[in-house]
Amino acid sequence: MNFEQLATIITDTHQQLQQSAVKAVNQRLTVRNWLIGFYIVEFEQNGEDRATYGEQLLKNLEQRINQKALSVTLFQWSRKFYLLYPRFNLLIKHSFMLICETPSHKLIVNEEKQIYETLSHKLQNIENEDNDENIPAEKLLSSISFSHFIELMKIDNPVKRLYYEMLTIQTGLSVRELKRQIDALSYERIGLSGDMEHALTTIQQKIHPQTVTDTVKDDYFFEFLNIPQQRVLLLKESELETLLLDHLRDFIIELGNGFCFEARQKRILIADEYFFIDMVFYHRILKAHILLEVKISPFDHAHVSQLYSYLNYYKAEVMEPDDNPPIGILLVTNKNDALVQYATAGMDEQIFVSKYKLQLPTEQQLKDLILKTIRQ
């Protein structure tokens, strides 16, 4: 072993064990919060002096306990956590029994011991809701932090919540990425893929894009524009552009991670003629300009020629030495895959043709697909 190998081994050991420690702490905090919720609900239902506290219970608890981490907000989320995830009871019962075995617990008076025994009995007898329409409790508890659970608990629809539980586990979402997926209506649009495994893999690639292909989606959804069905056929391209930019936050969320808006109707001069690019973005991860053209019609090979000219202009006139080559995205209402293949043959891989839709699948379509995936 040389010095560099020694340093590498120490670094690897530190990182691996530190990650394990963080994960263990997160799990313990989740267990703690579930138990806090359990205690509060039990008191609200069966406490001898519950009527004395009423709606002020959580505030009174915060003042009485007087510890910074134990606040009204935490108590509120803990109570909701217990009510939404009662099936954690058997997993958490072990942690509860460890508390009862601590030296300080053995010194408590008989009346308090009876309370612990009563709580232990109730933990054992909570109705277990684990079934083939739920992710196993052990998997949830070992894979999802309480910060994730807070975002999940904001979702009222249980099937929708189930989807985001699955998405978090399978793609390793951070809390920030989970919020982004919820904002981007990932659940509502997943049903159109028909293939959950492929859809989850695609989402993971979009969260951490490594290549140009990872960045561009096959389908984009602009349901946030709320365009009435009867108006869709009368929509002009300029109107669609305006609507997208009026909803720029939602539009960028839909495009994906890393997009930064630069310009609309970007004017460029080629020889003695002016041309206008619908929208220009810069991708901070790929370090490349993205030229986006929006059409209100199906794919036409002439669209590719136009976009390819814009890309060549950007390569020659705009691209900086440390930029990667520009990327072109053509958004159309429908595309003939064979025609797209022939129209782009021989070109580089910087042009992508994607469809956009203005409506999402039905709730039943989503439910059927997600439950089918859970049962596999």
Side-chain angles (χ1 to χ4, degrees), residues 57 61 64 80 88 108 115 120 124 170 184 187 226 245 248 273 307 339 345 349:
L57 172 63
L61 266 179
R64 171 63 181 83
K80 188 168 186 176
F88 287 177
I108 64 177
I115 293 173
S120 178
Q124 181 69 40
Q170 295 199 17
Y187 163 74
N226 296 316
L245 294 180
L248 186 58
E273 189 174 355
L307 185 52
L339 180 59
E349 298 180 353

PDB file of all heavy atoms in Angstrom, residues 57 61 64 80 88 108 115 120 124 170 184 187 226 245 248 273 307 339 345 349:
ATOM      1  N   LEU A  57     -53.755  21.880  22.595  1.00  0.00           N
ATOM      2  CA  LEU A  57     -52.894  20.788  23.054  1.00  0.00           C
ATOM      3  C   LEU A  57     -51.463  20.915  22.543  1.00  0.00           C
ATOM      4  O   LEU A  57     -50.507  20.849  23.325  1.00  0.00           O
ATOM      5  CB  LEU A  57     -53.486  19.440  22.630  1.00  0.00           C
ATOM      6  CG  LEU A  57     -52.588  18.213  22.870  1.00  0.00           C
ATOM      7  CD1 LEU A  57     -52.317  18.028  24.358  1.00  0.00           C
ATOM      8  CD2 LEU A  57     -53.202  16.961  22.261  1.00  0.00           C
ATOM      9  N   LEU A  61     -48.092  21.604  24.636  1.00  0.00           N
ATOM     10  CA  LEU A  61     -47.010  20.613  24.639  1.00  0.00           C
ATOM     11  C   LEU A  61     -45.666  21.274  24.336  1.00  0.00           C
ATOM     12  O   LEU A  61     -44.660  21.005  24.994  1.00  0.00           O
ATOM     13  CB  LEU A  61     -47.284  19.538  23.580  1.00  0.00           C
ATOM     14  CG  LEU A  61     -47.990  18.259  24.010  1.00  0.00           C
ATOM     15  CD1 LEU A  61     -48.184  17.344  22.801  1.00  0.00           C
ATOM     16  CD2 LEU A  61     -47.224  17.526  25.111  1.00  0.00           C
ATOM     17  N   ARG A  64     -44.571  23.205  27.357  1.00  0.00           N
ATOM     18  CA  ARG A  64     -44.228  22.341  28.501  1.00  0.00           C
ATOM     19  C   ARG A  64     -42.913  21.597  28.277  1.00  0.00           C
ATOM     20  O   ARG A  64     -42.060  21.534  29.160  1.00  0.00           O
ATOM     21  CB  ARG A  64     -45.362  21.329  28.731  1.00  0.00           C
ATOM     22  CG  ARG A  64     -45.051  20.223  29.738  1.00  0.00           C
ATOM     23  CD  ARG A  64     -44.800  20.789  31.138  1.00  0.00           C
ATOM     24  NE  ARG A  64     -44.495  19.728  32.075  1.00  0.00           N
ATOM     25  CZ  ARG A  64     -43.289  19.191  32.242  1.00  0.00           C
ATOM     26  NH1 ARG A  64     -42.259  19.624  31.492  1.00  0.00           N
ATOM     27  NH2 ARG A  64     -43.086  18.226  33.117  1.00  0.00           N
ATOM     28  N   LYS A  80     -50.201  13.672  11.736  1.00  0.00           N
ATOM     29  CA  LYS A  80     -50.670  13.288  10.415  1.00  0.00           C
ATOM     30  C   LYS A  80     -49.917  12.064   9.891  1.00  0.00           C
ATOM     31  O   LYS A  80     -50.494  11.188   9.228  1.00  0.00           O
ATOM     32  CB  LYS A  80     -50.503  14.463   9.447  1.00  0.00           C
ATOM     33  CG  LYS A  80     -51.138  14.225   8.085  1.00  0.00           C
ATOM     34  CD  LYS A  80     -51.206  15.504   7.269  1.00  0.00           C
ATOM     35  CE  LYS A  80     -51.971  15.258   5.965  1.00  0.00           C
ATOM     36  NZ  LYS A  80     -52.145  16.487   5.166  1.00  0.00           N
ATOM     37  N   PHE A  88     -46.935   1.131  10.025  1.00  0.00           N
ATOM     38  CA  PHE A  88     -45.571   1.068  10.551  1.00  0.00           C
ATOM     39  C   PHE A  88     -45.529   0.474  11.966  1.00  0.00           C
ATOM     40  O   PHE A  88     -44.460   0.307  12.537  1.00  0.00           O
ATOM     41  CB  PHE A  88     -44.954   2.475  10.612  1.00  0.00           C
ATOM     42  CG  PHE A  88     -44.585   3.037   9.260  1.00  0.00           C
ATOM     43  CD1 PHE A  88     -44.087   4.323   9.159  1.00  0.00           C
ATOM     44  CD2 PHE A  88     -44.731   2.302   8.100  1.00  0.00           C
ATOM     45  CE1 PHE A  88     -43.733   4.864   7.932  1.00  0.00           C
ATOM     46  CE2 PHE A  88     -44.394   2.819   6.867  1.00  0.00           C
ATOM     47  CZ  PHE A  88     -43.899   4.103   6.780  1.00  0.00           C
ATOM     48  N   ILE A 108     -38.988   4.681  36.483  1.00  0.00           N
ATOM     49  CA  ILE A 108     -40.248   5.412  36.558  1.00  0.00           C
ATOM     50  C   ILE A 108     -41.229   4.697  37.466  1.00  0.00           C
ATOM     51  O   ILE A 108     -41.114   3.496  37.738  1.00  0.00           O
ATOM     52  CB  ILE A 108     -40.872   5.598  35.158  1.00  0.00           C
ATOM     53  CG1 ILE A 108     -41.237   4.235  34.540  1.00  0.00           C
ATOM     54  CG2 ILE A 108     -39.968   6.381  34.261  1.00  0.00           C
ATOM     55  CD1 ILE A 108     -41.921   4.357  33.199  1.00  0.00           C
ATOM     56  N   ILE A 115     -48.878   2.968  31.803  1.00  0.00           N
ATOM     57  CA  ILE A 115     -49.140   3.702  30.561  1.00  0.00           C
ATOM     58  C   ILE A 115     -48.332   3.101  29.410  1.00  0.00           C
ATOM     59  O   ILE A 115     -48.855   2.875  28.313  1.00  0.00           O
ATOM     60  CB  ILE A 115     -48.806   5.204  30.742  1.00  0.00           C
ATOM     61  CG1 ILE A 115     -49.770   5.843  31.736  1.00  0.00           C
ATOM     62  CG2 ILE A 115     -48.861   5.919  29.388  1.00  0.00           C
ATOM     63  CD1 ILE A 115     -49.424   7.264  32.094  1.00  0.00           C
ATOM     64  N   SER A 120     -47.953  -0.138  24.536  1.00  0.00           N
ATOM     65  CA  SER A 120     -47.350  -1.292  23.870  1.00  0.00           C
ATOM     66  C   SER A 120     -48.421  -2.234  23.340  1.00  0.00           C
ATOM     67  O   SER A 120     -48.337  -2.739  22.208  1.00  0.00           O
ATOM     68  CB  SER A 120     -46.430  -2.034  24.840  1.00  0.00           C
ATOM     69  OG  SER A 120     -45.888  -3.180  24.222  1.00  0.00           O
ATOM     70  N   GLN A 124     -49.339  -3.082  19.273  1.00  0.00           N
ATOM     71  CA  GLN A 124     -49.419  -4.441  18.758  1.00  0.00           C
ATOM     72  C   GLN A 124     -50.718  -4.666  17.985  1.00  0.00           C
ATOM     73  O   GLN A 124     -50.757  -5.440  17.024  1.00  0.00           O
ATOM     74  CB  GLN A 124     -49.341  -5.454  19.915  1.00  0.00           C
ATOM     75  CG  GLN A 124     -49.394  -6.922  19.486  1.00  0.00           C
ATOM     76  CD  GLN A 124     -48.144  -7.338  18.736  1.00  0.00           C
ATOM     77  OE1 GLN A 124     -47.037  -6.958  19.088  1.00  0.00           O
ATOM     78  NE2 GLN A 124     -48.320  -8.137  17.686  1.00  0.00           N
ATOM     79  N   GLN A 170     -37.386   4.249  -6.192  1.00  0.00           N
ATOM     80  CA  GLN A 170     -36.740   3.672  -7.366  1.00  0.00           C
ATOM     81  C   GLN A 170     -35.761   4.610  -8.048  1.00  0.00           C
ATOM     82  O   GLN A 170     -34.852   4.155  -8.739  1.00  0.00           O
ATOM     83  CB  GLN A 170     -37.799   3.193  -8.358  1.00  0.00           C
ATOM     84  CG  GLN A 170     -38.645   2.052  -7.817  1.00  0.00           C
ATOM     85  CD  GLN A 170     -39.357   1.292  -8.914  1.00  0.00           C
ATOM     86  OE1 GLN A 170     -39.017   1.376 -10.089  1.00  0.00           O
ATOM     87  NE2 GLN A 170     -40.360   0.530  -8.540  1.00  0.00           N
ATOM     88  N   ALA A 184     -44.263  19.205 -11.429  1.00  0.00           N
ATOM     89  CA  ALA A 184     -44.290  18.916 -12.861  1.00  0.00           C
ATOM     90  C   ALA A 184     -45.392  17.931 -13.235  1.00  0.00           C
ATOM     91  O   ALA A 184     -45.496  17.514 -14.386  1.00  0.00           O
ATOM     92  CB  ALA A 184     -42.939  18.363 -13.315  1.00  0.00           C
ATOM     93  N   TYR A 187     -47.056  12.410 -11.811  1.00  0.00           N
ATOM     94  CA  TYR A 187     -48.087  11.369 -11.632  1.00  0.00           C
ATOM     95  C   TYR A 187     -49.144  11.457 -12.723  1.00  0.00           C
ATOM     96  O   TYR A 187     -49.529  10.442 -13.323  1.00  0.00           O
ATOM     97  CB  TYR A 187     -48.729  11.532 -10.254  1.00  0.00           C
ATOM     98  CG  TYR A 187     -50.057  10.821 -10.085  1.00  0.00           C
ATOM     99  CD1 TYR A 187     -50.117   9.442  -9.946  1.00  0.00           C
ATOM    100  CD2 TYR A 187     -51.248  11.537 -10.068  1.00  0.00           C
ATOM    101  CE1 TYR A 187     -51.328   8.789  -9.786  1.00  0.00           C
ATOM    102  CE2 TYR A 187     -52.464  10.890  -9.913  1.00  0.00           C
ATOM    103  CZ  TYR A 187     -52.500   9.515  -9.770  1.00  0.00           C
ATOM    104  OH  TYR A 187     -53.700   8.885  -9.619  1.00  0.00           O
ATOM    105  N   ASN A 226     -54.331  25.491 -19.570  1.00  0.00           N
ATOM    106  CA  ASN A 226     -55.797  25.490 -19.420  1.00  0.00           C
ATOM    107  C   ASN A 226     -56.498  26.005 -20.677  1.00  0.00           C
ATOM    108  O   ASN A 226     -57.404  26.846 -20.614  1.00  0.00           O
ATOM    109  CB  ASN A 226     -56.220  26.339 -18.212  1.00  0.00           C
ATOM    110  CG  ASN A 226     -55.709  25.769 -16.902  1.00  0.00           C
ATOM    111  OD1 ASN A 226     -55.791  24.568 -16.680  1.00  0.00           O
ATOM    112  ND2 ASN A 226     -55.172  26.626 -16.053  1.00  0.00           N
ATOM    113  N   LEU A 245     -44.821  31.393 -22.322  1.00  0.00           N
ATOM    114  CA  LEU A 245     -43.961  32.339 -21.612  1.00  0.00           C
ATOM    115  C   LEU A 245     -44.710  33.053 -20.489  1.00  0.00           C
ATOM    116  O   LEU A 245     -44.101  33.477 -19.509  1.00  0.00           O
ATOM    117  CB  LEU A 245     -43.360  33.343 -22.589  1.00  0.00           C
ATOM    118  CG  LEU A 245     -42.387  32.707 -23.592  1.00  0.00           C
ATOM    119  CD1 LEU A 245     -41.833  33.756 -24.529  1.00  0.00           C
ATOM    120  CD2 LEU A 245     -41.244  31.991 -22.886  1.00  0.00           C
ATOM    121  N   LEU A 248     -44.075  30.758 -17.578  1.00  0.00           N
ATOM    122  CA  LEU A 248     -42.680  30.366 -17.766  1.00  0.00           C
ATOM    123  C   LEU A 248     -42.200  29.378 -16.705  1.00  0.00           C
ATOM    124  O   LEU A 248     -41.483  28.418 -17.007  1.00  0.00           O
ATOM    125  CB  LEU A 248     -41.779  31.607 -17.777  1.00  0.00           C
ATOM    126  CG  LEU A 248     -40.298  31.358 -18.106  1.00  0.00           C
ATOM    127  CD1 LEU A 248     -40.147  30.691 -19.459  1.00  0.00           C
ATOM    128  CD2 LEU A 248     -39.512  32.657 -18.056  1.00  0.00           C
ATOM    129  N   GLU A 273     -30.840  38.542 -44.736  1.00  0.00           N
ATOM    130  CA  GLU A 273     -32.209  38.181 -44.379  1.00  0.00           C
ATOM    131  C   GLU A 273     -32.305  37.881 -42.880  1.00  0.00           C
ATOM    132  O   GLU A 273     -31.433  37.190 -42.323  1.00  0.00           O
ATOM    133  CB  GLU A 273     -32.665  36.971 -45.193  1.00  0.00           C
ATOM    134  CG  GLU A 273     -34.138  36.650 -45.045  1.00  0.00           C
ATOM    135  CD  GLU A 273     -34.581  35.531 -45.975  1.00  0.00           C
ATOM    136  OE1 GLU A 273     -33.757  35.078 -46.809  1.00  0.00           O
ATOM    137  OE2 GLU A 273     -35.757  35.115 -45.872  1.00  0.00           O
ATOM    138  N   LEU A 307     -34.705  24.431 -38.593  1.00  0.00           N
ATOM    139  CA  LEU A 307     -34.030  24.358 -37.297  1.00  0.00           C
ATOM    140  C   LEU A 307     -32.542  24.053 -37.464  1.00  0.00           C
ATOM    141  O   LEU A 307     -31.698  24.587 -36.729  1.00  0.00           O
ATOM    142  CB  LEU A 307     -34.707  23.300 -36.419  1.00  0.00           C
ATOM    143  CG  LEU A 307     -34.223  23.165 -34.973  1.00  0.00           C
ATOM    144  CD1 LEU A 307     -34.227  24.513 -34.256  1.00  0.00           C
ATOM    145  CD2 LEU A 307     -35.084  22.154 -34.211  1.00  0.00           C
ATOM    146  N   LEU A 339     -40.973   9.168 -40.892  1.00  0.00           N
ATOM    147  CA  LEU A 339     -40.639  10.404 -41.604  1.00  0.00           C
ATOM    148  C   LEU A 339     -39.571  11.190 -40.850  1.00  0.00           C
ATOM    149  O   LEU A 339     -38.645  11.748 -41.460  1.00  0.00           O
ATOM    150  CB  LEU A 339     -41.894  11.254 -41.787  1.00  0.00           C
ATOM    151  CG  LEU A 339     -41.708  12.585 -42.525  1.00  0.00           C
ATOM    152  CD1 LEU A 339     -41.143  12.360 -43.917  1.00  0.00           C
ATOM    153  CD2 LEU A 339     -43.023  13.351 -42.591  1.00  0.00           C
ATOM    154  N   ALA A 345     -31.893  11.847 -41.086  1.00  0.00           N
ATOM    155  CA  ALA A 345     -30.781  10.946 -41.426  1.00  0.00           C
ATOM    156  C   ALA A 345     -29.607  11.745 -41.969  1.00  0.00           C
ATOM    157  O   ALA A 345     -29.769  12.656 -42.783  1.00  0.00           O
ATOM    158  CB  ALA A 345     -31.244   9.922 -42.454  1.00  0.00           C
ATOM    159  N   GLU A 349     -26.621  14.402 -34.029  1.00  0.00           N
ATOM    160  CA  GLU A 349     -27.651  14.006 -33.068  1.00  0.00           C
ATOM    161  C   GLU A 349     -28.114  15.170 -32.198  1.00  0.00           C
ATOM    162  O   GLU A 349     -28.549  14.980 -31.075  1.00  0.00           O
ATOM    163  CB  GLU A 349     -27.122  12.871 -32.183  1.00  0.00           C
ATOM    164  CG  GLU A 349     -26.779  11.603 -32.976  1.00  0.00           C
ATOM    165  CD  GLU A 349     -26.260  10.499 -32.080  1.00  0.00           C
ATOM    166  OE1 GLU A 349     -26.044  10.768 -30.880  1.00  0.00           O
ATOM    167  OE2 GLU A 349     -26.083   9.382 -32.567  1.00  0.00           O
TER     168      GLU A 349
END
